[in-house]
Amino acid sequence: MSTSQRRPWRGAPAEQRNGVGRRPGRLLVGVVAAGAGAAVAFQATAGSTPSAASGGTATIQLSSAQQSAQQSAARRATRNVLAEGRQTFRFDTFGDEAFWGDTLNLDAAIAGKANGGVGPGVSPKTALAVGLKVDVAALPVALRTQIKQGKVDLNDPKVTLALLRLNSVVGVKGFFDARGNLRSVGIQCALCHSTVDNSLAQGIGNRLDAWANRDLNVGAIIGLSPNLQPVAKLLHTNVPTVHKVLNSWGPGKFDAQLFMDGKAFQPNGRSAASLIPPAFNLRGVNLVTSTGWGSITYWNAFVANLEMHGQGTFFDTRLDNKKQFTIAAENRFGHTRAKVDRITPKLGALQAYQLSIEAPKAPRGSFDPKAAARGKMLFSGKADCARCHVPPLFTEPGWNLHTPGKIGIDSFQADRSPTHMYRTTPLDGLWTHRKGGFFHDGRYPTLHAVVQHYNSTFGLHLTSAQQNDLVQYLLSL
């Protein structure tokens, strides 16, 4: 979000700053800001207000009560924007149920034949096994007690339908008809970018918005769809091949570029999918994806339109490049416009909410404080990490991209983006997404492996003890 306000007094001509050429009287300039709102109040102590005709400067006189009212209004507006953004992040499908439910018929697979769908249905046990989460706050107290006491049959798809009716499945929305039958299903931002604290049971707890859900097996979930023919047609392949691709992703990964270029596997045979990233700690970060597609608002629009398959508007003429983005260019994805735009009006508040989410602090006892203190000195010293991971953003202020050669890795994923480069990853909250590995595709299983890679690539000559200290510092962020 941008906030416009008047140029501060420091930008005024020198003669005005020094009082030259002004009428007698003192002009006080106060800036009142709260969240996304800003107000500039001018209070004059002179007896009368100079008129425009006399060449004087007009002033606005605000009482303390008026200034207080402005501050309250700004705070109220900020709270409303953040509440709207949280609602969008957690619960808005942007109309994508038309794709996931009405086209792919994922709802039928969830319900199962016994409940008006097809197949065995999806039980809570199965749903939790593929990484779906349940929001404990949406469950009645009696149901929480029954779950804790083991009195709920987690092998029954009917229980899954009940959880959907309660709107408790994180990132998934069920749509029911008048008779209570599941008729469609949609997904939300929170599906990939939220998890829970497991406070009631494994996979059932309080929401942790913006955390990467590294348990989520997106490919397995999509693979449940009875009708994958539209996906096969889009990719110019067959349904068995689509299943092969989806099964290759595994937990915590998703291939956002597949519908752009149709590349399902790397040259080495590994899946082309990338790790699901966290969506917190993005204030001040320029490009927010691993290969720098765009800003947070750009990526929200990209995902909501082209990945979630919501109904909205999206423009990016870079996708017209037929050589690089064969699928996107053929289908003119860079010129998307729905009859009713259910995405664009939500982007501002959604961005504000995401920007408000701080990185979670590392739990006490999860790292060695003394080693972390030594690692901090190495980070800005011998290891030279701070050259790119500039504190406190821990990415470059400004252009935060590097060529693959500069960081010592291959260009496959970079070449799937318009930039052909990799972004410097912000590091705050790194401890929350260790599962699945590091870098865009999880190629390094541990932080030790990451440090060893840079130690070798840049010839840092860090000892094993120093490498361990650096890891402990990274875990402390």
Side-chain angles (χ1 to χ4, degrees):
M1 289 186 300
S2 63
T3 302
S4 61
Q5 63 183 52
R6 297 179 186 271
R7 184 183 299 275
W9 66 270
R10 288 190 298 274
E15 63 271 17
Q16 291 184 20
R17 294 201 303 269
N18 296 327
V20 178
R22 292 194 300 177
R23 289 180 176 270
R26 187 160 54 91
L27 185 66
L28 303 179
V29 182
V31 179
V32 180
V40 181
F42 297 88
Q43 184 177 17
T45 57
S48 59
T49 302
S51 66
S54 64
T57 302
T59 62
I60 301 173
Q61 198 166 16
L62 295 179
S63 67
S64 296
Q66 289 173 317
Q67 291 183 39
S68 178
Q70 282 190 340
Q71 293 177 28
S72 296
R75 286 192 292 267
R76 190 162 54 250
T78 300
R79 286 195 298 269
N80 290 341
V81 168
L82 295 180
E84 179 187 342
R86 183 173 68 172
Q87 179 72 16
T88 297
F89 181 86
R90 291 184 173 184
F91 302 115
D92 209 316
T93 65
F94 308 113
D96 65 24
E97 60 272 13
F99 178 77
W100 299 104
D102 303 346
T103 299
L104 301 192
N105 304 138
L106 185 56
D107 54 299
I110 293 173
K113 186 175 180 180
N115 302 299
V118 298
V122 176
S123 68
K125 185 176 181 179
T126 298
L128 293 171
V130 295
L132 290 171
K133 307 296 181 181
V134 175
D135 179 7
V136 69
L139 304 180
V141 175
L143 181 55
R144 298 181 206 176
T145 303
Q146 291 173 335
I147 292 174
K148 189 177 294 187
Q149 294 175 346
K151 296 180 178 179
V152 176
D153 185 0
L154 298 181
N155 291 303
D156 188 351
K158 285 184 179 179
V159 178
T160 302
L161 298 180
L163 293 173
L164 285 171
R165 288 191 190 93
L166 291 170
N167 208 18
S168 66
V169 182
V170 176
V172 181
K173 170 70 174 176
F175 295 85
F176 295 83
D177 61 25
R179 292 184 293 181
N181 297 316
L182 184 66
R183 63 172 181 80
S184 192
V185 66
I187 63 173
Q188 299 143 343
C189 301
L191 177 65
C192 294
H193 300 291
S194 287
T195 185
V196 297
D197 62 7
N198 303 320
S199 57
L200 183 66
Q202 187 64 36
I204 307 175
N206 299 293
R207 286 177 182 259
L208 298 173
D209 282 357
W211 289 44
N213 186 352
R214 293 288 174 84
D215 298 319
L216 190 69
N217 195 326
V218 181
I221 294 171
I222 298 174
L224 293 172
S225 304
N227 180 27
L228 286 173
Q229 185 56 42
V231 178
K233 182 179 179 181
L234 181 73
L235 297 175
H236 300 289
T237 188
N238 52 54
V239 171
T241 300
V242 172
H243 278 292
K244 179 182 177 181
V245 172
L246 295 175
N247 290 335
S248 74
W249 293 356
K253 288 188 175 182
F254 174 69
D255 191 353
Q257 283 76 41
L258 179 62
F259 285 167
M260 305 300 113
D261 60 15
K263 296 179 180 179
F265 296 95
Q266 302 180 44
N268 60 13
R270 294 180 60 186
S271 170
S274 295
L275 286 169
I276 296 172
F280 52 61
N281 192 44
L282 295 177
R283 287 199 301 274
V285 177
N286 179 28
L287 302 173
V288 298
T289 62
S290 62
T291 53
W293 278 77
S295 67
I296 186 171
T297 300
Y298 171 92
W299 195 244
N300 285 340
F302 178 102
V303 171
N305 281 280
L306 305 184
E307 307 298 332
M308 295 172 66
H309 301 277
Q311 300 172 18
T313 303
F314 178 76
F315 296 107
D316 187 349
T317 55
R318 296 178 300 178
L319 296 181
D320 294 340
N321 184 337
K322 294 181 181 180
K323 184 176 180 180
Q324 186 178 16
F325 304 113
T326 54
I327 305 298
E330 177 185 6
N331 293 277
R332 292 185 58 78
F333 286 161
H335 306 270
T336 298
R337 187 187 291 275
K339 291 182 179 179
V340 177
D341 191 340
R342 297 178 59 175
I343 296 173
T344 306
K346 309 291 181 64
L347 292 176
L350 178 59
Q351 178 196 32
Y353 177 59
Q354 288 176 274
L355 292 178
S356 76
I357 304 175
E358 303 280 355
K361 300 297 182 183
R364 182 174 297 179
S366 65
F367 62 94
D368 182 338
K370 292 183 179 179
R374 295 191 298 267
K376 183 177 182 179
M377 298 297 292
L378 289 165
F379 188 88
S380 298
K382 183 178 180 180
D384 202 25
C385 308
R387 176 187 296 269
C388 298
H389 296 279
V390 182
L393 291 179
F394 292 103
T395 188
E396 288 94 344
W399 191 248
N400 53 344
L401 295 181
H402 296 274
T403 61
K406 290 290 186 181
I407 57 177
I409 66 172
D410 64 89
S411 66
F412 174 77
Q413 199 69 23
D415 287 341
R416 300 180 77 194
S417 84
T419 68
H420 299 277
M421 303 176 83
Y422 290 109
R423 178 201 64 162
T424 301
T425 303
L427 302 177
D428 273 337
L430 197 62
W431 64 274
T432 68
H433 50 100
R434 288 176 288 174
K435 182 178 290 188
F438 296 92
F439 275 45
H440 57 281
D441 57 1
R443 65 181 60 197
Y444 298 112
T446 65
L447 283 173
H448 281 280
V450 173
V451 172
Q452 288 170 356
H453 166 73
Y454 282 124
N455 190 41
S456 173
T457 299
F458 296 140
L460 301 175
H461 305 292
L462 298 174
T463 67
S464 295
Q466 288 174 326
Q467 291 178 49
N468 181 69
D469 289 346
L470 194 54
V471 168
Q472 292 303 305
Y473 174 60
L474 294 174
L475 290 174
S476 74
L477 296 175

